[in-house]
Amino acid sequence: MKRLIVIFLILGVTLLVIPGVIGFQTEERYETLLSRLEKGGLQIVGRSYQRGWFGSRAETELSLMVPTSSDTGQIQSKEYRFTLLSHISHGLLTTEGLGMAVVESEMLVDGEPVFPADYPATIRTSIGLGGTGTTQVDLPQVEIAASGKRPGIRLGGVQGELTFSSDLDQADIHLNMNGLKLIEGDAKLLEVGRVELNSSSGLDDASGFMLGGGQFEIEYLDIQDTATGTRIRLAGIGIEVESSAEGGNVSGFALYRLEKASVGDQVYGPAELKVAIDHISGKLMAELQESLQQINTRQLSEVEKQTAVMGVLMESGPEFLKSDPRLAVERLRVKTPDGIVEAHFSIQSGGLEWKQVGDISAVLGKLVVDASLRMPETLFRQLLIQQAERQVTQRLEQRRQAGERVDVPDKQQLSRMAKTAANQQLEQWLLQEMLVRDGGDITTKASLSDGLLTVNGKMLPIPIL
């Protein structure tokens, strides 16, 4: 009998001690998860963790940039911040049976829950005894009135699942949203169609990066500027990414697709852009990301941040060049009202060392560059005119600041000056065969290898640049 009592006492003490031990492990895993999410691009602006014996409480403040339209018709971004509040129940015994922990989460804005108290939202993470876990998300369709700085929300529903391994070195995400509207007053700020996200990633030990692939699709994105009435609609948005590592170097690509973009009466699309990187040091990427995250957490002005970022990049130069990296816009194709724009560009280092960067002949001799462009001449002229207007305005401002008396041209005079300058520049490039007319398009092809520059099949001396 005494032996049985001792066994029960030991068992009872064990069951009381285990939740506390698990609490320490849960906090460590929570911090590791946030670190991984930050590396994946999630903007975390604040966090706190209050650990208890049988349970804990975690708060994570997130930043979300929502696209809006300016009075010029351009897409800008507006920041919204919200907090993810998590209540963590420690194992060994949880509401879902044996396990390490169960996490129930809710979203707050300005300290208040986003969803009504009777709304059956589910954001639940179950962590098993082995450390593997699953996060289930189920947000039914709901309409929420505006409150304070928060706009009104019409949510079509969100369903999804995130699974992760015990070491958080493997994660799979499947998420669907059936539409979203943000409303300010009587005006629609933003409307989003169906959204689908699927990704699978794993940790590369050499770089510390989560690498893999995924697809992100948005049925449409509709933005209405309340001041001007300008409407911007983007339809058929798709992003596909893929990354891998070999020998400590990371390679990958991102493919962006857009079926149609409507800005007022102007229609663009379909459009496609594929950018790629090859032979980028994984160790360097991890160090750069950590440095940039530290810069973002400091209270710096934009100028100070730019200076700090430039300093980090300069320090990374030697390591960056060691692996002979390649950066490329492998494909750019856009259908515009004036015609189709096509371009590609790639640049790769071939044995260039950081100490040679100041020697222009050494740099040109160890870079391999390939580029091409095809663009409707009408659109090319418009771009030249816009550039010429900026240059004329800048020169006049420089003269004024130097103390000269400057006669500022009116809008029509400035337009005529810019058109004249643009036409002269275009004709000069055509005469030099830097550009070629092909029907209604302007085209050019250029390559640089072994210090030799070729433009449209014609070898050119480097000093011409």
Side-chain angles (χ1 to χ4, degrees):
M1 184 67 179
K2 290 182 179 180
R3 182 178 298 177
L4 187 61
I5 293 174
V6 170
I7 291 174
F8 275 110
L9 285 175
I10 292 175
L11 180 61
V13 171
T14 301
L15 290 176
L16 288 175
V17 170
I18 284 177
V21 175
I22 289 178
F24 283 95
Q25 296 177 344
T26 305
E27 181 178 2
E28 182 179 346
R29 293 176 63 82
Y30 175 80
E31 291 296 332
T32 302
L33 178 60
L34 291 185
S35 177
R36 297 277 170 81
L37 292 174
E38 283 185 301
K39 287 185 176 181
L42 189 67
Q43 296 297 313
I44 299 176
V45 294
R47 66 181 73 177
S48 68
Y49 195 100
Q50 300 174 2
R51 186 180 65 252
W53 196 262
F54 294 100
S56 301
R57 184 177 186 272
E59 288 189 26
T60 306
E61 187 178 8
L62 307 172
S63 174
L64 177 66
M65 302 304 294
V66 175
T68 61
S69 176
S70 68
D71 54 8
T72 62
Q74 297 179 336
I75 297 178
Q76 297 181 337
S77 296
K78 184 175 181 180
E79 183 186 34
Y80 288 95
R81 291 192 177 188
F82 62 96
T83 300
L84 188 66
L85 176 61
S86 298
H87 300 279
I88 305 167
S89 300
H90 303 162
L92 189 63
L93 296 176
T94 71
T95 55
E96 298 188 0
L98 292 176
M100 183 180 292
V102 172
V103 185
E104 299 280 355
S105 302
E106 61 177 321
M107 287 185 287
L108 309 177
V109 174
D110 296 329
E112 298 295 330
V114 172
F115 301 110
D118 58 349
Y119 177 67
T122 299
I123 307 177
R124 180 185 296 112
T125 301
S126 303
I127 304 175
L129 292 176
T132 60
T134 300
T135 298
Q136 296 285 346
V137 177
D138 185 8
L139 308 178
Q141 181 177 345
V142 67
E143 183 169 343
I144 305 170
S147 176
K149 296 181 180 180
R150 185 188 67 201
I153 301 173
R154 294 178 185 173
L155 178 65
V158 179
Q159 291 78 37
E161 180 180 89
L162 163 65
T163 59
F164 51 89
S165 63
S166 58
D167 295 328
L168 299 177
D169 57 0
Q170 180 70 37
D172 297 298
I173 301 175
H174 304 283
L175 188 67
N176 294 287
M177 182 179 75
N178 297 313
L180 171 70
K181 290 183 182 180
L182 300 182
I183 301 171
E184 287 186 346
D186 297 328
K188 178 176 63 180
L189 173 66
L190 173 72
E191 182 175 355
V192 183
R194 180 176 174 80
V195 177
E196 185 172 349
L197 170 64
N198 294 285
S199 72
S200 179
S201 58
L203 181 66
D204 174 57
D205 293 331
S207 65
F209 261 72
M210 294 291 285
L211 303 175
Q215 298 82 38
F216 179 62
E217 296 182 357
I218 303 178
E219 182 182 10
Y220 65 84
L221 181 66
D222 207 348
I223 305 168
Q224 185 80 26
D225 183 66
T226 56
T228 65
T230 302
R231 181 170 176 264
I232 300 175
R233 183 181 177 89
L234 309 178
I237 303 170
I239 303 174
E240 180 181 349
V241 296
E242 191 73 42
S243 60
S244 60
E246 183 177 354
N249 294 327
V250 175
S251 297
F253 72 85
L255 176 62
Y256 304 89
R257 298 186 305 273
L258 176 65
E259 287 299 320
K260 185 169 69 173
S262 304
V263 184
D265 297 330
Q266 297 289 312
V267 178
Y268 299 83
E272 191 173 74
L273 170 65
K274 183 178 181 181
V275 295
I277 61 169
D278 292 298
H279 312 298
I280 306 296
S281 167
K283 176 184 176 183
L284 174 63
M285 291 180 64
E287 292 175 350
L288 277 175
Q289 190 169 59
E290 184 176 352
S291 297
L292 294 177
Q293 287 175 357
Q294 291 176 355
I295 291 172
N296 287 331
T297 58
R298 294 160 58 189
Q299 298 296 322
L300 300 175
S301 66
E302 287 301 317
V303 174
E304 290 173 330
K305 281 187 178 181
Q306 292 174 7
T307 302
V309 169
M310 184 58 66
V312 170
L313 295 178
M314 292 297 290
E315 291 178 1
S316 305
E319 183 67 25
F320 177 73
L321 292 176
K322 281 182 181 179
S323 56
D324 288 338
R326 173 180 175 268
L327 308 175
V329 177
E330 293 188 345
R331 183 164 64 252
L332 170 62
R333 192 177 192 277
V334 183
K335 184 178 180 181
T336 74
D338 297 299
I340 294 176
V341 176
E342 293 181 298
H344 92 274
F345 174 83
S346 69
I347 180 171
Q348 182 170 12
S349 166
L352 180 64
E353 298 180 14
W354 186 250
K355 63 183 179 182
Q356 297 174 311
V357 170
D359 184 350
I360 186 64
S361 61
V363 172
L364 294 175
K366 293 187 176 182
L367 287 181
V368 179
V369 181
D370 188 52
S372 68
L373 172 67
R374 174 178 289 272
M375 180 181 293
E377 184 172 339
T378 53
L379 180 57
F380 193 86
R381 285 182 182 275
Q382 291 174 17
L383 296 176
L384 282 181
I385 290 170
Q386 292 174 6
Q387 182 185 35
E389 286 183 350
R390 288 193 296 269
Q391 290 175 342
V392 170
T393 302
Q394 289 172 358
R395 285 197 295 267
L396 291 175
E397 179 62 21
Q398 290 171 355
R399 289 172 55 190
R400 187 189 66 79
Q401 291 181 355
E404 293 186 39
R405 182 175 178 179
V406 179
D407 294 328
V408 179
D410 59 29
K411 188 174 182 179
Q412 292 182 344
Q413 290 174 326
L414 179 60
S415 178
R416 286 195 297 268
M417 293 170 63
K419 286 181 180 179
T420 299
N423 289 334
Q424 291 175 346
Q425 182 68 80
L426 178 57
E427 293 305 319
Q428 180 181 358
W429 284 338
L430 289 169
L431 183 63
Q432 295 174 339
E433 298 184 359
M434 303 288 286
L435 300 175
V436 177
R437 274 197 180 99
D438 184 6
D441 292 340
I442 293 293
T443 70
T444 188
K445 292 183 179 181
S447 64
L448 174 67
S449 181
D450 297 325
L452 301 176
L453 174 66
T454 301
V455 178
N456 297 320
K458 181 179 179 181
M459 189 85 62
L460 296 178
I462 296 295
I464 197 172
L465 297 179

